[in-house]
Short mmCIF file of all heavy atoms in Angstrom, two decimals:
data_model
loop_
_atom_site.label_atom_id
_atom_site.label_comp_id
_atom_site.label_asym_id
_atom_site.label_seq_id
_atom_site.Cartn_x
_atom_site.Cartn_y
_atom_site.Cartn_z
N MET V 1 -28.91 65.67 40.82
CA MET V 1 -29.83 66.68 41.02
C MET V 1 -29.86 67.13 42.44
O MET V 1 -30.00 68.36 42.64
CB MET V 1 -31.20 65.94 40.73
CG MET V 1 -32.40 66.87 40.95
SD MET V 1 -33.57 66.46 39.69
CE MET V 1 -34.54 67.85 39.52
N TRP V 2 -29.64 66.24 43.32
CA TRP V 2 -29.56 66.78 44.84
C TRP V 2 -28.32 67.60 44.91
O TRP V 2 -28.38 68.54 45.73
CB TRP V 2 -29.53 65.59 45.80
CG TRP V 2 -28.29 64.78 45.72
CD1 TRP V 2 -28.06 63.61 44.95
CD2 TRP V 2 -27.02 64.97 46.49
NE1 TRP V 2 -26.75 63.19 45.09
CE2 TRP V 2 -26.13 63.90 46.05
CE3 TRP V 2 -26.68 65.95 47.30
CZ2 TRP V 2 -24.89 63.87 46.56
CZ3 TRP V 2 -25.45 65.82 47.90
CH2 TRP V 2 -24.55 64.88 47.53
N LEU V 3 -27.30 67.51 44.28
CA LEU V 3 -26.10 68.29 44.42
C LEU V 3 -26.39 69.73 43.94
O LEU V 3 -25.85 70.67 44.61
CB LEU V 3 -24.88 67.71 43.51
CG LEU V 3 -23.58 68.49 43.65
CD1 LEU V 3 -23.19 68.46 45.21
CD2 LEU V 3 -22.52 67.66 42.90
N SER V 4 -27.19 69.88 42.86
CA SER V 4 -27.44 71.16 42.35
C SER V 4 -28.50 71.97 43.43
O SER V 4 -28.43 73.05 43.64
CB SER V 4 -28.15 71.26 41.02
OG SER V 4 -29.33 70.60 41.21
N GLY V 5 -29.25 71.06 44.09
CA GLY V 5 -30.14 71.72 45.21
C GLY V 5 -29.35 72.18 46.34
O GLY V 5 -29.65 73.18 46.91
N VAL V 6 -28.33 71.44 46.78
CA VAL V 6 -27.51 71.74 47.86
C VAL V 6 -26.70 73.07 47.46
O VAL V 6 -26.54 73.93 48.33
CB VAL V 6 -26.51 70.63 48.31
CG1 VAL V 6 -25.50 71.03 49.19
CG2 VAL V 6 -27.23 69.50 48.79
N ALA V 7 -26.15 73.06 46.26
CA ALA V 7 -25.37 74.18 45.87
C ALA V 7 -26.32 75.51 45.90
O ALA V 7 -25.90 76.60 46.22
CB ALA V 7 -24.76 73.94 44.36
N THR V 8 -27.54 75.33 45.30
CA THR V 8 -28.44 76.44 45.36
C THR V 8 -28.78 77.00 46.72
O THR V 8 -28.78 78.17 46.98
CB THR V 8 -29.79 76.17 44.68
OG1 THR V 8 -29.55 75.60 43.33
CG2 THR V 8 -30.80 77.14 44.65
N VAL V 9 -28.89 76.11 47.70
CA VAL V 9 -29.23 76.50 49.05
C VAL V 9 -27.96 77.03 49.67
O VAL V 9 -28.01 78.27 50.36
CB VAL V 9 -29.49 75.20 49.97
CG1 VAL V 9 -29.47 75.60 51.36
CG2 VAL V 9 -30.88 74.57 49.52
N VAL V 10 -26.77 76.61 49.44
CA VAL V 10 -25.50 77.31 49.98
C VAL V 10 -25.36 78.63 49.40
O VAL V 10 -25.00 79.68 50.16
CB VAL V 10 -24.34 76.38 49.61
CG1 VAL V 10 -23.10 77.01 49.93
CG2 VAL V 10 -24.39 75.02 50.51
N VAL V 11 -25.54 78.73 47.96
CA VAL V 11 -25.35 80.19 47.44
C VAL V 11 -26.41 81.16 47.99
O VAL V 11 -26.12 82.30 48.25
CB VAL V 11 -25.47 79.87 45.98
CG1 VAL V 11 -25.40 81.47 45.29
CG2 VAL V 11 -24.10 79.20 45.44
N SER V 12 -27.50 80.67 48.01
CA SER V 12 -28.74 81.54 48.47
C SER V 12 -28.48 82.09 49.86
O SER V 12 -28.74 83.10 50.28
CB SER V 12 -30.03 80.84 48.43
OG SER V 12 -30.31 80.50 46.96
N GLY V 13 -28.04 81.08 50.82
CA GLY V 13 -27.70 81.48 51.98
C GLY V 13 -26.53 82.47 52.22
O GLY V 13 -26.70 83.37 53.06
N SER V 14 -25.59 82.20 51.48
CA SER V 14 -24.43 83.20 51.53
C SER V 14 -24.95 84.58 50.99
O SER V 14 -24.50 85.66 51.64
CB SER V 14 -23.41 82.65 50.55
OG SER V 14 -22.82 81.49 50.99
N VAL V 15 -25.66 84.72 49.97
CA VAL V 15 -26.19 85.94 49.43
C VAL V 15 -27.04 86.61 50.42
O VAL V 15 -26.97 87.77 50.82
CB VAL V 15 -26.86 85.73 48.11
CG1 VAL V 15 -27.73 86.99 47.71
CG2 VAL V 15 -25.98 85.34 47.11
N ALA V 16 -27.92 85.79 51.11
CA ALA V 16 -28.86 86.36 52.14
C ALA V 16 -28.12 86.94 53.30
O ALA V 16 -28.38 87.96 53.87
CB ALA V 16 -29.79 85.29 52.67
N LEU V 17 -26.98 86.36 53.68
CA LEU V 17 -26.16 86.82 54.73
C LEU V 17 -25.53 88.16 54.42
O LEU V 17 -25.52 89.02 55.34
CB LEU V 17 -25.02 85.74 55.27
CG LEU V 17 -25.66 84.53 55.98
CD1 LEU V 17 -24.47 83.46 56.11
CD2 LEU V 17 -26.24 84.96 57.23
N VAL V 18 -25.05 88.26 53.17
CA VAL V 18 -24.35 89.51 52.79
C VAL V 18 -25.30 90.58 52.76
O VAL V 18 -25.14 91.71 53.15
CB VAL V 18 -23.54 89.27 51.39
CG1 VAL V 18 -23.13 90.61 50.86
CG2 VAL V 18 -22.37 88.32 51.66
N VAL V 19 -26.48 90.39 52.05
CA VAL V 19 -27.46 91.39 51.91
C VAL V 19 -28.06 91.81 53.25
O VAL V 19 -28.33 93.05 53.41
CB VAL V 19 -28.74 90.74 51.01
CG1 VAL V 19 -29.83 91.72 51.03
CG2 VAL V 19 -28.09 90.63 49.60
N SER V 20 -28.28 90.87 54.24
CA SER V 20 -28.87 91.26 55.41
C SER V 20 -28.01 91.98 56.39
O SER V 20 -28.30 92.57 57.38
CB SER V 20 -29.36 90.00 56.18
OG SER V 20 -28.26 89.21 56.57
N GLY V 21 -26.74 92.01 56.03
CA GLY V 21 -25.65 92.63 56.84
C GLY V 21 -25.00 91.81 58.02
O GLY V 21 -24.24 92.24 58.66
N VAL V 22 -25.45 90.52 58.02
CA VAL V 22 -24.97 89.72 59.04
C VAL V 22 -23.34 89.38 58.77
O VAL V 22 -22.57 89.34 59.66
CB VAL V 22 -25.56 88.34 59.07
CG1 VAL V 22 -25.03 87.29 59.97
CG2 VAL V 22 -27.03 88.63 59.55
N VAL V 23 -23.00 89.26 57.49
CA VAL V 23 -21.64 89.04 57.14
C VAL V 23 -21.26 90.16 56.21
O VAL V 23 -21.93 90.39 55.23
CB VAL V 23 -21.46 87.66 56.32
CG1 VAL V 23 -20.02 87.48 55.84
CG2 VAL V 23 -21.89 86.51 57.18
N ALA V 24 -20.27 90.95 56.75
CA ALA V 24 -19.87 92.04 55.88
C ALA V 24 -18.40 91.93 55.50
O ALA V 24 -17.54 91.57 56.20
CB ALA V 24 -19.98 93.43 56.82
N PRO V 25 -18.19 92.07 54.14
CA PRO V 25 -16.85 92.00 53.67
C PRO V 25 -15.86 93.11 54.38
O PRO V 25 -16.36 94.21 54.52
CB PRO V 25 -16.93 92.15 52.23
CG PRO V 25 -18.22 92.91 51.97
CD PRO V 25 -19.05 92.52 53.20
N ARG V 26 -14.66 92.92 54.61
CA ARG V 26 -13.80 93.86 55.04
C ARG V 26 -13.17 94.51 53.96
O ARG V 26 -12.73 93.80 53.05
CB ARG V 26 -12.79 93.22 56.03
CG ARG V 26 -13.50 92.75 57.36
CD ARG V 26 -12.39 92.32 58.35
NE ARG V 26 -11.84 91.03 57.76
CZ ARG V 26 -10.74 90.45 58.27
NH1 ARG V 26 -10.24 91.00 59.30
NH2 ARG V 26 -10.29 89.34 57.76
N SER V 27 -12.90 95.90 53.87
CA SER V 27 -12.45 96.44 52.75
C SER V 27 -10.99 96.09 52.47
O SER V 27 -10.50 96.18 51.40
CB SER V 27 -12.72 97.86 52.79
OG SER V 27 -11.99 98.38 53.93
N SER V 28 -10.19 95.72 53.52
CA SER V 28 -8.86 95.36 53.40
C SER V 28 -8.68 94.06 52.70
O SER V 28 -7.55 93.86 52.34
CB SER V 28 -8.00 95.42 54.90
OG SER V 28 -8.79 94.44 55.71
N ASP V 29 -9.67 93.20 52.80
CA ASP V 29 -9.59 91.95 52.15
C ASP V 29 -9.99 92.05 50.70
O ASP V 29 -10.08 90.93 50.07
CB ASP V 29 -10.54 90.95 52.94
CG ASP V 29 -9.81 90.57 54.34
OD1 ASP V 29 -8.72 90.83 54.49
OD2 ASP V 29 -10.72 90.12 55.20
N CYS V 30 -10.45 93.05 50.17
CA CYS V 30 -11.05 93.08 48.96
C CYS V 30 -9.94 93.40 47.81
O CYS V 30 -9.07 94.24 47.98
CB CYS V 30 -12.05 94.14 48.70
SG CYS V 30 -13.48 93.87 49.75
N ALA V 31 -9.92 92.58 46.87
CA ALA V 31 -8.95 92.95 45.69
C ALA V 31 -9.59 93.67 44.63
O ALA V 31 -10.82 93.50 44.40
CB ALA V 31 -8.45 91.54 45.18
N PRO V 32 -8.81 94.45 43.91
CA PRO V 32 -9.48 95.16 42.83
C PRO V 32 -9.71 94.20 41.58
O PRO V 32 -9.23 93.16 41.64
CB PRO V 32 -8.38 96.13 42.38
CG PRO V 32 -7.14 95.47 42.93
CD PRO V 32 -7.48 94.70 44.16
N GLY V 33 -10.61 94.60 40.87
CA GLY V 33 -11.10 93.78 39.77
C GLY V 33 -12.53 93.65 39.37
O GLY V 33 -13.27 94.51 39.98
N ARG V 34 -12.84 92.75 38.63
CA ARG V 34 -14.26 92.57 38.19
C ARG V 34 -14.66 91.05 38.63
O ARG V 34 -13.98 90.25 38.64
CB ARG V 34 -14.45 92.74 36.77
CG ARG V 34 -14.08 94.12 36.29
CD ARG V 34 -14.16 94.31 34.80
NE ARG V 34 -15.44 93.86 34.46
CZ ARG V 34 -16.43 94.53 33.89
NH1 ARG V 34 -16.25 95.81 33.74
NH2 ARG V 34 -17.62 94.16 33.50
N LEU V 35 -15.98 91.01 38.83
CA LEU V 35 -16.54 89.67 39.12
C LEU V 35 -17.66 89.36 38.05
O LEU V 35 -18.62 90.33 37.81
CB LEU V 35 -17.32 89.77 40.50
CG LEU V 35 -18.06 88.48 40.80
CD1 LEU V 35 -17.12 87.39 41.02
CD2 LEU V 35 -18.74 88.69 42.21
N ALA V 36 -17.41 88.41 37.32
CA ALA V 36 -18.47 87.84 36.36
C ALA V 36 -19.29 86.63 36.91
O ALA V 36 -18.65 85.68 37.40
CB ALA V 36 -17.77 87.49 35.01
N VAL V 37 -20.57 86.73 37.01
CA VAL V 37 -21.28 85.75 37.58
C VAL V 37 -22.05 85.05 36.46
O VAL V 37 -22.74 85.80 35.75
CB VAL V 37 -22.41 86.26 38.58
CG1 VAL V 37 -23.20 85.22 39.12
CG2 VAL V 37 -21.62 87.01 39.70
N GLU V 38 -21.85 83.82 36.18
CA GLU V 38 -22.41 83.14 35.20
C GLU V 38 -23.23 81.90 35.85
O GLU V 38 -22.91 81.39 36.79
CB GLU V 38 -21.54 82.46 34.38
CG GLU V 38 -20.53 83.55 33.50
CD GLU V 38 -19.47 82.95 32.61
OE1 GLU V 38 -19.65 81.68 32.34
OE2 GLU V 38 -18.60 83.68 32.33
N GLY V 39 -24.41 81.65 35.27
CA GLY V 39 -25.21 80.48 35.67
C GLY V 39 -26.67 80.84 35.55
O GLY V 39 -27.13 81.48 34.69
N SER V 40 -27.42 80.34 36.51
CA SER V 40 -28.88 80.48 36.51
C SER V 40 -29.30 81.93 36.51
O SER V 40 -28.76 82.67 37.31
CB SER V 40 -29.31 79.66 37.75
OG SER V 40 -30.88 79.85 37.82
N SER V 41 -30.39 82.16 35.71
CA SER V 41 -31.03 83.51 35.87
C SER V 41 -31.82 83.60 37.08
O SER V 41 -32.32 84.70 37.40
CB SER V 41 -31.86 83.65 34.56
OG SER V 41 -32.83 82.69 34.64
N ALA V 42 -32.00 82.59 38.07
CA ALA V 42 -32.67 82.71 39.11
C ALA V 42 -32.06 83.77 40.15
O ALA V 42 -32.65 84.33 40.99
CB ALA V 42 -32.82 81.27 39.84
N PHE V 43 -30.80 83.94 40.00
CA PHE V 43 -30.03 84.91 40.86
C PHE V 43 -30.03 86.21 40.38
O PHE V 43 -29.65 87.21 40.97
CB PHE V 43 -28.58 84.44 41.15
CG PHE V 43 -28.53 83.06 41.74
CD1 PHE V 43 -28.06 82.00 41.20
CD2 PHE V 43 -28.90 83.01 43.02
CE1 PHE V 43 -28.01 80.73 41.87
CE2 PHE V 43 -28.87 81.79 43.81
CZ PHE V 43 -28.36 80.68 43.06
N ALA V 44 -30.56 86.50 39.03
CA ALA V 44 -30.54 87.82 38.48
C ALA V 44 -31.22 88.91 39.34
O ALA V 44 -30.77 90.02 39.42
CB ALA V 44 -31.18 87.81 37.01
N PRO V 45 -32.38 88.65 39.84
CA PRO V 45 -32.93 89.69 40.73
C PRO V 45 -32.26 90.20 42.06
O PRO V 45 -32.29 91.30 42.49
CB PRO V 45 -34.36 89.07 41.15
CG PRO V 45 -34.66 88.02 40.18
CD PRO V 45 -33.19 87.49 39.85
N ILE V 46 -31.42 89.24 42.48
CA ILE V 46 -30.64 89.56 43.80
C ILE V 46 -29.31 90.13 43.62
O ILE V 46 -28.81 90.85 44.39
CB ILE V 46 -30.74 88.42 44.73
CG1 ILE V 46 -30.21 88.67 46.20
CG2 ILE V 46 -29.72 87.34 44.18
CD1 ILE V 46 -31.30 89.42 46.98
N VAL V 47 -28.70 89.82 42.48
CA VAL V 47 -27.21 90.40 42.14
C VAL V 47 -27.18 91.87 42.31
O VAL V 47 -26.22 92.35 42.95
CB VAL V 47 -26.87 89.85 40.75
CG1 VAL V 47 -25.42 90.44 40.39
CG2 VAL V 47 -26.70 88.30 40.90
N PRO V 48 -28.01 92.69 41.76
CA PRO V 48 -27.84 94.12 42.02
C PRO V 48 -27.93 94.62 43.51
O PRO V 48 -27.17 95.38 43.80
CB PRO V 48 -29.00 94.88 41.20
CG PRO V 48 -29.33 93.85 40.21
CD PRO V 48 -29.21 92.43 40.85
N LYS V 49 -28.71 93.88 44.23
CA LYS V 49 -28.74 94.27 45.68
C LYS V 49 -27.57 93.80 46.33
O LYS V 49 -27.14 94.54 47.22
CB LYS V 49 -29.95 93.57 46.21
CG LYS V 49 -31.37 94.00 45.81
CD LYS V 49 -32.45 93.33 46.36
CE LYS V 49 -33.72 93.65 45.84
NZ LYS V 49 -34.92 92.79 46.24
N VAL V 50 -26.92 92.71 45.98
CA VAL V 50 -25.67 92.18 46.62
C VAL V 50 -24.69 93.21 46.24
O VAL V 50 -23.85 93.60 47.10
CB VAL V 50 -25.31 90.81 46.16
CG1 VAL V 50 -24.04 90.44 46.62
CG2 VAL V 50 -26.39 89.87 46.72
N ALA V 51 -24.50 93.64 44.97
CA ALA V 51 -23.58 94.51 44.44
C ALA V 51 -23.61 95.96 45.24
O ALA V 51 -22.61 96.54 45.53
CB ALA V 51 -23.65 94.84 43.03
N ASP V 52 -24.86 96.47 45.33
CA ASP V 52 -25.10 97.77 46.12
C ASP V 52 -24.63 97.61 47.52
O ASP V 52 -23.86 98.55 48.07
CB ASP V 52 -26.53 98.12 45.98
CG ASP V 52 -26.87 98.62 44.58
OD1 ASP V 52 -26.00 98.71 43.82
OD2 ASP V 52 -28.19 98.60 44.38
N SER V 53 -24.94 96.61 48.17
CA SER V 53 -24.64 96.37 49.62
C SER V 53 -23.06 96.24 49.76
O SER V 53 -22.58 96.85 50.65
CB SER V 53 -25.26 95.14 50.04
OG SER V 53 -24.79 94.79 51.45
N TYR V 54 -22.48 95.44 48.88
CA TYR V 54 -21.03 95.31 48.95
C TYR V 54 -20.31 96.72 48.70
O TYR V 54 -19.43 97.01 49.34
CB TYR V 54 -20.59 94.24 47.74
CG TYR V 54 -19.06 94.05 47.85
CD1 TYR V 54 -18.52 93.30 48.76
CD2 TYR V 54 -18.31 94.77 46.80
CE1 TYR V 54 -17.15 93.10 48.60
CE2 TYR V 54 -16.98 94.61 46.73
CZ TYR V 54 -16.36 93.69 47.75
OH TYR V 54 -15.07 93.50 47.69
N MET V 55 -20.75 97.46 47.64
CA MET V 55 -20.19 98.64 47.42
C MET V 55 -20.37 99.69 48.52
O MET V 55 -19.46 100.57 48.82
CB MET V 55 -20.57 99.26 46.09
CG MET V 55 -20.30 98.45 44.83
SD MET V 55 -18.43 98.22 44.73
CE MET V 55 -17.93 99.77 44.21
N ALA V 56 -21.48 99.66 49.28
CA ALA V 56 -21.78 100.58 50.28
C ALA V 56 -20.78 100.31 51.40
O ALA V 56 -20.37 101.19 52.15
CB ALA V 56 -23.20 100.38 50.79
N ARG V 57 -20.54 99.06 51.66
CA ARG V 57 -19.51 98.64 52.84
C ARG V 57 -18.08 99.12 52.44
O ARG V 57 -17.28 99.32 53.37
CB ARG V 57 -19.68 97.18 53.03
CG ARG V 57 -20.98 96.81 53.59
CD ARG V 57 -20.92 95.41 54.07
NE ARG V 57 -22.14 94.64 54.28
CZ ARG V 57 -23.13 95.09 54.92
NH1 ARG V 57 -23.25 96.33 55.25
NH2 ARG V 57 -24.21 94.27 55.13
N LEU V 58 -17.85 99.37 51.29
CA LEU V 58 -16.44 99.74 50.83
C LEU V 58 -16.12 101.25 51.11
O LEU V 58 -15.08 101.70 51.13
CB LEU V 58 -16.10 99.36 49.34
CG LEU V 58 -16.01 97.91 49.01
CD1 LEU V 58 -15.75 97.72 47.57
CD2 LEU V 58 -14.89 97.22 49.92
N ARG V 59 -17.35 101.97 51.05
CA ARG V 59 -17.17 103.39 51.18
C ARG V 59 -16.88 103.83 52.67
O ARG V 59 -17.15 103.24 53.55
CB ARG V 59 -18.49 104.08 50.66
CG ARG V 59 -18.64 103.86 49.32
CD ARG V 59 -19.80 104.54 48.57
NE ARG V 59 -19.98 104.02 47.34
CZ ARG V 59 -21.03 103.63 46.81
NH1 ARG V 59 -22.21 103.64 47.52
NH2 ARG V 59 -21.26 103.11 45.66
#
């Protein structure tokens, strides 16, 4: 149970850093393709924001 809590904190922190702009992906490091996110529906509200932020940085 504690492992899932730690994983949730790590993923949430990573998402928060990308959304806030503290960590920005570099377009030269991005590979073409698709990303499928499977798992908890708790992340469903934030995923569109992360995707929009990511795509904005690629432009």
